[in-house]
């Protein structure tokens, strides 16, 4: 029965994660066409997937990493 418990908690986790993501993302936000960090074009799929994004995936990764290093 361990499998069932694992799946249930996994679904719960996913749902909570989705709720957080939906809360964080403003669906009406306009995504930048160019990364504010490096000026590269932000690919359309990313702009659609991350409404209001201002950076390319690469720069976002750097930003997230810096945030983690600051402990925030
Ligand atoms: Zn960039």
């Amino acid at each position: 029965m361990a499998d069932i418990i694992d799946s249930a908690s996994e679904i719960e986790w996913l749902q909570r994660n989705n709720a957080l993501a939906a809360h964080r993302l403003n669906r009406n936000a306009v995504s930048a066409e160019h990364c504010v960090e490096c000026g590269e074009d932000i690919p359309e799929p990313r702009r659609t997937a991350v409404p209001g994004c201002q950076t390319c995936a690469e720069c976002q990764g750097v930003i997230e990493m810096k945030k983690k290093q600051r402990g925030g």
Side-chain angles (χ1 to χ4, degrees), residues 35 37-38 56 59:
C35 174
E37 293 288 328
C38 67
C56 67
C59 291

Side-chain angles (χ1 to χ4, degrees), residues 34-40 42 54-60:
H34 301 96
C35 174
V36 295
E37 293 288 328
C38 67
E40 289 287 323
I42 300 175
Q54 302 291 306
T55 59
C56 67
E58 207 172 305
C59 291
Q60 185 62 38

Side-chain angles (χ1 to χ4, degrees), residues 25-50:
L25 297 177
N26 179 356
R27 294 266 155 217
N28 297 318
V30 179
S31 303
E33 286 182 25
H34 301 96
C35 174
V36 295
E37 293 288 328
C38 67
E40 289 287 323
D41 288 358
I42 300 175
E44 182 67 32
R46 170 164 168 78
R47 296 173 57 212
T48 308
V50 190

Side-chain angles (χ1 to χ4, degrees), residues 66-72:
K66 282 181 184 169
K67 270 190 200 165
K68 270 182 201 159
Q69 283 172 349
R70 280 191 216 125

